[in-house]
Amino acid sequence: MQLGVEISLYPLHQEYVPYIKDFIDRLNTDQHLHVQTSHTSTLVSGEFAYVMKVIQTEMKTTFEQVGQAVFVCKFLNATHMNLS
């Protein structure tokens, strides 16, 4: 099953932009994911279990880096959709 996740990250830190860029850069290094970034969110798509594992890992890394952050996510069963 394919999964699409729209993610918006709001680091609760005065210098928030580097944390957002770092999160997106980490997602972009994974060759098993399709990543599309817009002004307000990033769409990550790929195989369900893999996407969930990567998001969990990268969210934890961000929390460890910044301390407090808000992730707003929308999950879409993308098996029958073309998100690429």
Side-chain angles (χ1 to χ4, degrees), residues 52-66:
M52 293 300 290
K53 180 181 176 185
V54 171
I55 289 173
Q56 177 183 2
T57 299
E58 297 307 340
M59 286 176 66
K60 183 178 183 211
T61 299
T62 298
F63 286 139
E64 290 170 347
Q65 289 176 342
V66 72

Side-chain angles (χ1 to χ4, degrees), residues 35-47:
V35 180
Q36 289 179 271
T37 302
S38 69
H39 294 290
T40 59
S41 65
T42 297
L43 179 63
V44 180
S45 58
E47 194 277 321

Side-chain angles (χ1 to χ4, degrees), residues 27-34 50:
L27 293 174
N28 275 312
T29 62
D30 194 311
Q31 297 177 1
H32 300 293
L33 298 176
H34 183 262
Y50 189 79

